[in-house]
């Protein structure tokens, strides 16, 4: 039985793939500026500058849209933590370092644009938003012990696509063409980032199939969005799930299964018995998740029907 590749060996083996995909990304990505997506003519001073402080009636967003926008923004805000984690698990040298820097710079636009939109349009309470940002960024995010490069690339593949879905859904519920256009732009970035990581993970399957499936299986089974732990996470998450911003059906059908199909995990012939055991574990989990999705949708329908009856 061949020995596992070390973290350093994995990074070296994958570096040419990283370099190729950086070139592909740079040729595909469109440059954009956050200020072009903000309706500055709606802005005005707050009390500290002689104007008027925020009042709830100034917001034209629904409660669901406000919660989704705040959650997505606070998730983007934690970029310094994400940068630290991926730099620790990848490298700050060579092609890996080039990508870490480029990805960080592109991601930073997202929080800039979303915050400017929310504050300029007075869509949410800016004081509460800043307080939540302070709490969330102070807590940061931390990879579990032994996470490693393969787990990192697997996680960010699923996470980038999940974030894309969440941004697009949020844009639709805002009922504001400016917000929708902004979030479409951000979602396009997330999709390109997902493709980069997905391609690196696909190459990792060819280089170290057993190690890769053993990294992917626990990521899928224990997946959590990086905003976990932010203030009001549970309450806001329930509201977003209830209204289809990001729910179990989307997670399974639009995120997990499309990526696994592209990696061809269930049709590979290069796993040893060790890899096959991990694959069986993944398959069993996905069957359970499919049943959970059905139960969740049935329960949500009952809840929404009861609420509609009360309103009626």
């Amino acid at each position: 039985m061949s020995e596992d590749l070390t973290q350093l060996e994995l990074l070296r083996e994958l570096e040419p793939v990283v370099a190729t995909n950086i070139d592909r990304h740079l040729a595909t990505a469109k440059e954009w500026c956050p200020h072009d997506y903000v309706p500055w003519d709606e802005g005005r001073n707050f009390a500290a500058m002689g104007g008027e402080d925020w009042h709830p009636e100034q917001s034209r967003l629904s409660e669901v849209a406000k919660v989704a926008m705040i959650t997505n923004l606070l998730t983007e805000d934690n970029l310094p933590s994400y940068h630290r984690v991926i730099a620790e698990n990848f490298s700050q040298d060579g092609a890996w370092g080039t990508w870490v820097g480029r990805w960080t710079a592109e991601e930073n636009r997202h929080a800039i644009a979303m915050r400017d939109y929310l504050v300029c349009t007075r869509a949410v309470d800016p004081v509460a938003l800043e307080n939540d940002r302070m709490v969330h960024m102070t807590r940061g995010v931390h990879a579990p012990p032994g996470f490693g490069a393969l787990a990192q690339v697997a996680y960010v593949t699923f996470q980038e696509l999940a974030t894309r879905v969440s941004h697009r859904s949020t844009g639709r519920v805002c009922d504001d063409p400016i917000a929708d256009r902004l979030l479409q732009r951000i979602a396009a970035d997330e999709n390109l980032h997902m493709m980069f990581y997905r391609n690196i993970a696909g190459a990792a399957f060819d280089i170290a199939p057993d190690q890769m499936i053993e990294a992917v299986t626990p990521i899928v089974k224990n997946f959590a969005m990086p905003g976990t732990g932010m203030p009001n996470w549970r309450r806001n998450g329930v509201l977003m799930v209830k209204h289809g911003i990001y729910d179990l059906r989307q997670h399974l059908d639009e995120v997990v299964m499309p990526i696994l199909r592209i990696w061809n995990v269930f049709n590979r012939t290069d796993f040893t018995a060790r890899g096959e055991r991990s694959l069986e574990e993944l398959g069993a989990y996905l069957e359970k998740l499919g049943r959970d999705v059905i139960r969740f949708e049935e329960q949500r329908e009952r809840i929404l029907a009861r609420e509609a009856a009360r309103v009626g």
Side-chain angles (χ1 to χ4, degrees):
M1 180 181 294
S2 61
E3 293 183 359
D4 284 354
L5 296 177
T6 66
Q7 292 297 299
L8 183 57
E9 288 170 336
L10 287 166
L11 292 174
R12 285 175 175 169
E13 288 285 333
L14 289 169
E15 186 158 17
V17 184
V18 173
T20 298
N21 277 274
I22 289 173
D23 291 341
R24 180 201 58 77
H25 178 82
L26 294 177
T28 305
K30 291 182 174 21
E31 294 296 332
W32 63 280
C33 295
H35 69 264
D36 286 329
Y37 290 80
V38 179
W40 298 105
D41 57 351
E42 295 186 24
R44 59 190 189 276
N45 290 344
F46 291 90
M49 295 289 291
E52 179 188 14
D53 274 340
W54 183 83
H55 298 290
E57 62 271 15
Q58 294 170 351
S59 176
R60 59 175 177 258
L61 296 182
S62 68
E63 185 62 23
V64 174
K66 283 189 284 190
V67 163
M69 285 289 281
I70 290 169
T71 300
N72 288 358
L73 171 55
L74 292 178
T75 299
E76 299 284 358
D77 269 328
N78 241 342
L79 180 62
S81 283
Y82 311 147
H83 173 90
R84 170 182 49 79
V85 170
I86 68 169
E88 289 172 350
N89 285 313
F90 295 159
S91 170
Q92 297 184 58
D93 301 318
W96 284 106
T98 298
W99 171 253
V100 170
R102 175 71 188 197
W103 173 84
T104 303
E106 291 186 2
E107 286 284 343
N108 197 34
R109 292 173 177 153
H110 303 169
I112 292 170
M114 291 178 70
R115 175 169 290 97
D116 284 348
Y117 166 83
L118 291 175
V119 173
C120 185
T121 62
R122 297 186 175 234
V124 301
D125 182 349
V127 175
L129 183 64
E130 176 61 10
N131 290 340
D132 287 351
R133 186 191 70 84
M134 290 292 293
V135 171
H136 189 44
M137 292 188 68
T138 300
R139 290 174 179 169
V141 294
H142 306 276
F147 202 57
L150 296 186
Q152 183 67 65
V153 78
Y155 175 77
V156 288
T157 302
F158 293 111
Q159 179 266 317
E160 292 279 7
L161 185 51
T163 305
R164 173 193 177 275
V165 172
S166 180
H167 281 311
R168 288 297 293 116
S169 299
T170 299
R172 287 190 285 269
V173 301
C174 282
D175 195 26
D176 176 5
I178 296 174
D180 193 33
R181 177 171 170 262
L182 167 62
L183 292 171
Q184 284 185 50
R185 177 61 264 173
I186 293 173
D189 276 5
E190 307 289 15
N191 196 59
L192 288 179
H193 296 163
M194 178 276 295
M195 293 171 65
F196 177 92
Y197 292 122
R198 188 189 66 194
N199 292 348
I200 306 306
F205 267 109
D206 294 334
I207 291 169
D210 284 349
Q211 286 177 263
M212 192 59 195
I213 192 62
E214 287 180 337
V216 166
T217 295
I219 292 297
V220 173
K221 290 182 64 177
N222 302 295
F223 183 81
M225 292 292 272
T228 303
M230 70 174 59
N232 300 311
W233 170 257
R234 184 175 296 277
R235 178 183 66 82
N236 292 349
V238 168
L239 190 63
M240 292 171 69
V241 166
K242 179 179 169 182
H243 292 277
I245 304 297
Y246 191 82
D247 60 27
L248 273 183
R249 173 64 69 187
Q250 290 162 305
H251 181 64
L252 178 61
D253 291 354
E254 299 180 34
V255 176
V256 173
M257 293 311 300
I259 290 172
L260 294 179
R261 280 195 291 268
I262 288 176
W263 288 338
N264 197 33
V265 296
F266 291 106
N267 295 307
R268 300 187 70 94
T269 59
D270 51 1
F271 294 129
T272 67
R274 166 187 159 192
E276 290 291 344
R277 286 193 295 272
S278 188
L279 186 66
E280 289 175 9
E281 181 183 348
L282 176 62
Y285 172 77
L286 292 173
E287 289 181 6
K288 175 184 178 299
L289 183 58
R291 295 191 296 270
D292 290 344
V293 166
I294 294 172
R295 283 195 294 269
F296 157 74
E297 290 179 328
E298 292 173 346
Q299 182 181 26
R300 180 169 62 181
E301 286 181 9
R302 289 194 295 269
I303 291 172
L304 293 174
R306 285 198 298 269
E307 290 182 354
R310 284 198 297 269
V311 172

